[in-house]
Amino acid sequence: MKVGIIGLGFVGLSFASVLGSKNYSTLGFDSDKKKSSQIKNGKPPFYEPYLEETLNQALRKGLEITDNIATMVKSCQLIFVTVGTPQGNDGSIDLSMVKSAVEEIGKHLKYSKNKPIIVIKSTVVPGTALDVLLPILVSKSRKKPGKDFGLITNPEFLRESMAISDTVNPHAIVLGGTKDRFMNAIKKFYENLHKNTPIIATNNQTAEMIKYTNNSFLATKISFINQISNICQLIPGANVEDVARTIGLDPRIGHLFLNAGPGYGGSCLPKDVAAIINFSNSLGINPLLLNAVKQVNDYQLKHVILTIKRAAGTLKKKRITVLGLAFKPDTDDIRDSVSIKLIQSLLKQGAKIIVHDPKAIENTKNIFKEKISYAESLDDALRKSQCCVIITPWKEYSKINERHLQLMEKRIIVDTRRILNNSKLKMNYYPIGIG
């Protein structure tokens, strides 16, 4: 079975690389020619653990990068759409890239005898596949759905920094569509690819809703423990780490996503929570809980800034070090990163900012240019610092020692992840979530 993938971003490139490395005949396409050229040469345009090795293995085995969607539509039995759906100012998603990809498929399908399954992996709100994308396919191709092509919704659940592992061993496969031969064919494809993974077959709308429900629940857990963290911080001796660890032992709760911190970020949770809120409002439903989840997350940045002010005093002309720019370790992704928002706020208050991150410096330079200073090492980041704020829990930050502190002008550490809580360093220490 030949597979086509339109959109070689985080989801598409991870999927294409894994399929190609497993000897699946795979065609990858991206409208960004510079990105495509880079991928052809075995260099991913972003950092993700194990991606480069998997990509190069795929290029040697089954993956080909093409600049021709017509070839894909003519020869591929499965065509996955994995383009982005950026967030609008009102929280709604921008479907322009998905529509464009589907239009191209439809135009070439019109002149093809192939009967492909078109699989939407892009994150879209319920109703998009049937109400928006299917009419485009029918109009452009003049073909009949269920006879000449299939349309399947197949949301992804990849975690950044774990994309290759999650692609190889997903916790579940969700397929939304009509119970017909096209659904049977893609079920067989996934059964062969993931022999022990549950496959949930449902309709398009439910599959679309599952993705938003999944991410909204994860965001809810994070906001919940952050709310508890803020309460613990006002109780002498209270420790949110012990609270989270203990309630996580309850099988009804579970331990995942109970790590209190500066708030959730990244390319998925903020966007998906905002999108489902916007979608709910469009239906005339006021999503009270989801609004609260977002409000708690928005407040968490303010809480961190208040803690910095309590620790360091006035911020004007204060030299502040921010450790960690990516929204989580083992990625260079700064989309909706709390660090970026924190830096913007500190700059407005007149602080002088120096930053460090093992992977995300270059992406951060694209935003701040010369407005802040960039350190190549932890030593450089802490030298003459008057306050250090730990945002992203990279492992190397947990190794801060007395020698590092001697470089600082003032030994003030605001630790949003509590990674130095068990150290015996002499410092003015302000851990988020510990009273």
Side-chain angles (χ1 to χ4, degrees):
M1 180 175 282
K2 195 163 188 176
V3 179
I5 298 174
I6 300 176
L8 298 177
F10 172 69
V11 175
L13 185 56
S14 300
F15 192 46
S17 298
V18 169
L19 289 181
S21 71
K22 290 180 175 291
N23 293 305
Y24 282 82
S25 179
T26 308
L27 282 178
F29 171 87
D30 196 281
S31 59
D32 186 332
K33 292 183 179 180
K34 182 179 179 181
K35 181 199 288 185
S36 295
S37 176
Q38 191 176 342
I39 292 169
K40 273 185 182 180
N41 292 321
K43 295 293 182 183
F46 53 89
Y47 175 74
E48 176 67 28
Y50 308 110
L51 175 59
E52 186 169 348
E53 303 95 302
T54 309
L55 169 61
N56 280 279
Q57 189 179 16
L59 291 169
R60 291 193 299 270
K61 291 185 173 183
L63 175 61
E64 178 185 347
I65 307 302
T66 181
D67 58 1
N68 193 337
I69 289 182
T71 301
M72 187 182 292
V73 174
K74 183 179 179 180
S75 63
C76 292
Q77 288 78 48
L78 289 172
I79 302 174
F80 289 87
V81 177
T82 58
V83 298
T85 52
Q87 182 178 332
N89 292 330
D90 61 353
S92 63
I93 58 171
D94 180 355
L95 289 173
S96 58
M97 286 190 280
V98 180
K99 289 179 180 178
S100 177
V102 168
E103 284 177 3
E104 284 296 309
I105 294 171
K107 284 191 291 185
H108 297 298
L109 187 59
K110 183 177 181 180
Y111 303 102
S112 173
K113 294 181 180 179
N114 188 28
K115 297 183 178 182
I117 306 171
I118 297 141
V119 188
I120 308 300
K121 266 193 173 295
S122 302
T123 301
V124 295
V125 295
T128 300
L130 296 185
D131 299 340
V132 179
L133 304 182
L134 184 60
I136 293 173
L137 284 168
V138 171
S139 172
K140 295 295 181 181
S141 71
R142 302 296 181 186
K143 298 288 182 74
K144 292 183 178 180
K147 179 182 177 184
D148 301 313
F149 67 88
L151 179 62
I152 299 290
T153 301
N154 175 212
E156 53 79 24
F157 302 95
L158 302 188
R159 297 168 291 175
E160 290 195 51
S161 78
M162 299 287 288
I164 298 302
S165 174
D166 286 348
T167 302
V168 173
N169 296 300
H171 71 274
I173 298 295
V174 177
L175 300 173
T178 305
K179 293 181 180 179
D180 55 17
R181 63 187 179 91
F182 295 107
M183 176 65 83
N184 291 335
I186 193 169
K187 281 180 68 177
K188 187 174 181 180
F189 166 78
Y190 273 121
E191 285 169 353
N192 290 331
L193 181 62
H194 306 300
K195 299 190 184 302
N196 299 311
T197 301
I199 297 177
I200 293 87
T202 182
N203 56 45
N204 296 89
Q205 306 93 308
T206 304
E208 291 161 336
M209 189 64 188
I210 286 171
K211 173 60 184 286
Y212 281 101
T213 303
N214 189 94
N215 279 356
S216 295
F217 186 74
L218 297 178
T220 300
K221 289 188 75 173
I222 295 171
S223 283
F224 171 80
I225 200 62
N226 281 338
Q227 182 80 85
I228 298 301
S229 171
N230 295 346
I231 297 170
C232 286
Q233 200 167 340
L234 296 176
I235 304 172
N239 187 327
V240 72
E241 295 274 359
D242 292 342
V243 172
R245 189 183 304 112
T246 306
I247 67 171
L249 295 173
D250 189 325
R252 297 169 299 176
I253 297 174
H255 68 279
L256 296 177
F257 286 79
L258 288 179
N259 299 313
Y264 57 76
S267 61
C268 289
L269 297 191
K271 180 174 80 76
D272 290 354
V273 171
I276 196 64
I277 288 172
N278 177 273
F279 179 70
S280 300
N281 289 332
S282 72
L283 297 176
I285 296 172
N286 181 12
L288 295 173
L289 178 58
L290 295 176
N291 280 325
V293 168
K294 184 177 183 302
Q295 288 166 8
V296 169
N297 198 62
D298 292 342
Y299 173 76
Q300 205 61 16
L301 173 62
K302 298 176 183 177
H303 180 71
V304 171
I305 293 171
L306 288 172
T307 303
I308 295 171
K309 288 181 176 179
R310 182 160 60 91
T314 180
L315 300 181
K316 191 172 184 180
K317 296 185 178 180
K318 193 85 70 177
R319 184 178 170 87
I320 297 178
T321 300
V322 176
L323 296 182
L325 301 167
F327 83 97
K328 65 183 291 190
D330 293 319
T331 180
D332 61 358
D333 194 348
I334 60 172
R335 286 175 291 180
D336 263 307
S337 168
V338 175
S339 293
I340 302 305
K341 297 174 185 176
L342 173 63
I343 293 167
Q344 290 168 337
S345 178
L346 295 177
L347 285 174
K348 288 179 182 178
Q349 298 180 63
K352 296 179 179 180
I353 307 299
I354 183 168
V355 300
H356 179 268
D357 188 284
K359 296 294 181 182
I361 288 288
E362 291 305 315
N363 288 340
T364 305
K365 286 181 178 178
N366 293 333
I367 295 177
F368 294 106
K369 308 293 193 247
E370 305 301 321
K371 294 179 181 178
I372 63 177
S373 300
Y374 306 92
E376 294 185 2
S377 68
L378 188 54
D379 283 15
D380 290 341
L382 293 174
R383 189 170 284 112
K384 294 184 180 180
S385 174
Q386 295 170 302
C387 177
C388 171
V389 187
I390 302 174
I391 297 291
T392 314
W394 288 93
K395 285 184 180 179
E396 65 185 89
Y397 300 153
S398 67
K399 298 176 183 178
I400 290 174
N401 56 37
E402 182 65 24
R403 185 187 65 79
H404 291 116
L405 294 182
Q406 288 175 356
L407 298 171
M408 300 179 70
E409 184 175 315
K410 293 185 178 180
R411 298 183 175 208
I412 300 173
I413 304 284
V414 176
D415 188 353
T416 69
R417 303 292 185 172
R418 300 164 302 283
I419 61 177
L420 298 179
N421 185 49
N422 293 322
S423 69
K424 297 181 180 179
L425 298 173
K426 295 179 180 179
M427 57 182 170
N428 292 319
Y429 187 56
Y430 296 80
I432 297 292
I434 296 179

